[in-house]
């Protein structure tokens, strides 16, 4: 055991580093060894936090190297690194001990040759073209004579001077300069902002809104012009509602903004020429138009006057125009009296023809004829009358003949017969009726006789009467002063007083029972 | 002839119509009364064009920007 413990392991006596000590040692070695390096690689992931520093990866097929570009350096870069860009980065290596990492602090970064830069630009161009930003139908026509021209450029420099100078030559206009950086890191953002800023101005506002924008920059290296290849600039130009002329660099330089601009000018001076017409030429043109117009009008009037004269020459003279009618009038005038006379003569012939047949003898003959007819008729009038009376008389006679007593008598006889018959029937009926009635009366009388008290009297009954009529009671008989008894063959009067009464009573008494007996 | 008042026309509009008017007059196929009216219209258009051409005024100003890069005002630019 002790052997093992005491046996020293080789190297145990070497000094020990703390983690920080070794980190710092490594940092020293690396920063000392790689204080200035140039590294070629492809840009990988790029991030731009709000701090303004720029973090990116450099890579090749096998390895990745972290890199950082501090804010101040990043602002100075003419070409901003983008993912996929082939670059050469210059800087120093350093470590980041806190995370056991090493990285390069880039002091400059450039595209690795023109080819890389152009390839990137081509890629961007294809993307924007695919979006249709370069389409000809997107291009707006430039105003013929803009009132206000907005120029996006550097306020100091030859470019704005050239533009103003050319404008003054052609047609002095109001110009608004929006100052921007035309190269460096700020360039793209400022140019894009300026284009959008001009568009955002209200027409008639405090700052007047231009009706044409010129984005201009003088010539320079491709890196100098690179800001105008940036996507934000191209998009701002494409979005511009105000027609936009791009004039960046020299004639041979083409930047991305040239593709989206409504018009591309090869130089700033050319942009001014595109922007405005030449005033003097226009004045001459206007004068020319005025002259042509005056000429045309006078020509119109002249030609019409000529035409009028031509026409009036073709018009016949009034005299000749009237000759023919006048001749006709003369001829008609000559024929008028003759015609009148002829007319009168013709009528006269007709009259004489008519009056020739109109003679008194003709009338007299007619009168005589009529008279003869009258004379013939007159005697026949009385005859006719008499004949008519006679005829009527005869007709009356005929009628009267037919009017005899025969039919009436026959009618009377017939009616009388009917009356006799009816009387006979009446008397027969009456006799029959009365006979009937007599037979019935006889029968009834016989019945009456049989039923009457007289018959009863034959059977021995008597009727007792007082002064007041028939007495039927003993009491009434006693009271009666005189009684009368009727028998079958007559009446017996019993004297007055009691004797009478007694008799009556006696008479009455026997009177009663027969009656009663007959009743039973 | 358009109905638009000449005084409201831009230079380009007035110019186009003036061209039309001249063309019509030169063809000479317009009735005399109408051609006089056309001429008067043309004269008016010509005057409008001349007025717009006289408005040739050079005035250059630079936009001043505030801290955030937005336009704050105008500053005359002289001696360019």
């Amino acid at each position: 055991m002790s052997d093992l413990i005491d046996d020293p392991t080789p190297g145990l006596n070497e000094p020990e580093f703390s983690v920080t000590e070794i980190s710092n040692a490594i940092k020293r070695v690396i920063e000392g060894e790689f204080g200035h390096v140039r590294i070629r690689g492809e840009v990988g992931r790029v991030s731009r936090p709000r701090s303004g520093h720029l973090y990116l990866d450099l890579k090749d097929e096998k390895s990745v190297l972290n890199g950082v570009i501090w804010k101040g350096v990043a602002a100075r870069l003419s070409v901003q690194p983008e993912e996929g860009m082939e670059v050469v980065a210059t800087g120093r290596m350093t470590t980041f001990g806190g995370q056991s990492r090493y990285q390069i602090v880039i002091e400059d970064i450039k595209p690795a040759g023109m080819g890389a830069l152009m390839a990137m630009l081509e890629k961007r161009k294809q993307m924007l073209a695919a979006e249709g930003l370069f389409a000809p139908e997107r291009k707006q026509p430039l105003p013929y004579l803009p009132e206000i021209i907005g120029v996006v450029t550097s306020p100091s420099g030859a470019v704005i001077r050239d533009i103003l100078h050319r404008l003054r030559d052609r047609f002095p206009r109001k110009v608004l300069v929006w100052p921007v950086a035309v190269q460096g890191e700020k360039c793209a953002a400022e140019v894009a902002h300026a284009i959008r800023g001009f568009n955002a101005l209200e027409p008639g506002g405090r700052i007047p809104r231009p009706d044409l924008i010129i984005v201009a920059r003088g010539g320079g290296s491709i890196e100098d012009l690179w800001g105008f290849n940036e996507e934000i600039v191209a998009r701002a130009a494409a979005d511009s509602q105000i027609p936009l002329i791009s004039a960046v660099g020299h004639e041979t330089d083409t930047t991305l903004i040239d593709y989206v601009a409504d018009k591309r000018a090869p130089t700033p001076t050319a942009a001014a020429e595109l922007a405005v017409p030449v005033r003097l030429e226009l004045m001459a043109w206007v004068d020319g138009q005025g002259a042509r117009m005056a000429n045309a009008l006078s020509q119109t009037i002249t030609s019409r006057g000529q035409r009028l004269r031509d026409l009036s020459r073709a018009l016949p003279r009034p005299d000749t125009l009237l000759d023919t009618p006048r001749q006709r009038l003369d001829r008609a005038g000559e024929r008028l009296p003759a015609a009148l006379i002829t007319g009168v003569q013709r009528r006269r012939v007709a009259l004489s023809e008519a009056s020739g047949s109109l003679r008194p003898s003709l009338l007299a003959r007619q009168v005589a004829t009529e008279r003869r007819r009258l004379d013939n008729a007159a005697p026949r009038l009385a005859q006719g009358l008499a004949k008519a009376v006679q005829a009527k008389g005869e007709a009356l006679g005929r009628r009267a003949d037919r009017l005899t007593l025969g039919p009436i008598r026959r009618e009377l006889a017939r009616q009388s017969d009917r009356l006799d018959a009816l009387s006979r029937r009446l008397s027969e009926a009456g006799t029959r009726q009365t006979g009937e009635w007599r037979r019935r009366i006889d029968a009834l009388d016989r019945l009456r006789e049989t039923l009457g008290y007289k018959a009863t009297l034959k059977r021995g009954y008597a009727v007792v009467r007082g002064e007041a009529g028939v007495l039927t009671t003993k009491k009434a008989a006693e009271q009666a002063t005189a009684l009368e008894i009727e028998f079958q063959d007559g009446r017996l009067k019993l004297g007055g007083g009691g004797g009478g009464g007694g008799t009556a009573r006696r008479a009455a008494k026997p009177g009663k029972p027969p009656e009663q007996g007959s009743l039973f | 002839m358009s109905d638009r008042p000449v005084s409201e026309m831009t230079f380009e509009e007035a110019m186009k119509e003036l061209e039309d008017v001249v063309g019509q007059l030169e063809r000479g196929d317009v009735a005399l009364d109408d051609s006089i009216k056309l001429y008067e219209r043309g004269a008016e258009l010509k005057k409008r064009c001349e007025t717009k051409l006289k408005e040739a005024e050079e005035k250059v100003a630079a936009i001043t920007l505030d801290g955030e890069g937005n336009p704050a005002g105008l500053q005359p630019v002289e001696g360019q």
Side-chain angles (χ1 to χ4, degrees), chain A residues 324-340:
Chain A
T324 310
R326 189 168 287 151
Q327 207 173 346
R328 280 181 62 200
L329 176 63
D330 289 348
R331 224 173 289 148
E334 283 163 13
R335 282 162 56 196
L336 185 60
L340 195 58

Side-chain angles (χ1 to χ4, degrees), chain A residues 20-41:
Chain A
T20 303
E21 282 165 356
I22 191 69
S23 288
N24 288 340
I26 291 169
K27 192 182 187 76
R28 275 195 300 277
V29 171
I30 287 181
E31 288 187 353
E33 190 69 22
F34 305 106
H36 182 82
V37 289
R38 279 167 61 86
I39 301 166
R40 188 189 180 103

Side-chain angles (χ1 to χ4, degrees), chain A residues 222-277:
Chain A
I222 185 146
E223 287 86 359
D224 290 342
L225 304 182
W226 197 254
F228 297 91
N229 280 325
E230 293 291 350
E231 193 179 330
I232 51 166
V233 173
R235 288 198 185 279
D239 288 346
S240 178
Q241 298 298 306
I242 304 170
L244 186 143
I245 302 175
S246 68
V248 177
H250 293 305
E251 197 158 355
T252 49
D253 302 322
T254 302
T255 52
L256 202 55
I257 192 173
D258 293 330
Y259 293 99
V260 291
D262 296 304
K263 204 89 180 174
R264 186 218 168 192
T267 61
T269 303
E273 285 168 4
L274 285 173
V276 292

Side-chain angles (χ1 to χ4, degrees), chain A residues 142-145 147 155 157 160-161 164-165 167-168 171-179 193 197-198 201 206-208 277-279 282-297 300-301 304, chain B residues 11-12 15-16 18-19 21-23 25-26 28-32 35-36 38-39 41-43 46-47 49-50 52-65 68-74 77 79-80:
Chain A
L142 303 184
Y144 187 79
L145 181 58
E147 298 286 332
I160 186 67
R161 267 205 308 275
L164 292 176
H165 189 255
L167 284 179
R168 190 180 303 147
F171 206 131
R173 294 277 83 180
K174 289 180 190 143
V175 175
L176 283 179
V177 181
W178 191 301
H193 184 70
F198 270 141
L201 292 173
R206 192 171 54 89
I207 301 173
V278 179
R279 181 164 163 257
L282 285 178
M283 285 171 129
W285 180 86
V286 169
D287 286 346
Q289 294 292 309
R292 277 171 64 186
M293 193 166 68
N295 272 340
L297 187 67
T300 300
I301 291 167
R304 267 155 228 256
Chain B
F11 176 82
E12 194 182 2
M15 194 173 88
K16 278 206 175 106
L18 178 58
E19 210 162 24
V21 166
V22 172
L25 281 173
E26 283 181 341
D29 53 1
V30 187
L32 191 63
S35 64
I36 288 164
L38 262 182
Y39 182 84
R41 175 89 177 171
K46 179 172 174 274
K47 206 174 150 200
C49 287
E50 284 167 345
K52 294 305 279 182
L53 288 177
K54 275 184 200 136
E55 281 173 10
E57 174 198 13
E58 185 184 85
K59 198 168 147 194
V60 183
I63 290 177
T64 57
L65 302 173
E68 283 163 7
N70 293 316
L74 292 173
V77 177
Q80 292 285 343

Side-chain angles (χ1 to χ4, degrees), chain A residues 13 115 137 231 441 462 483:
Chain A
N13 60 344
E137 56 268 23
E231 193 179 330
I441 288 166
L483 291 171

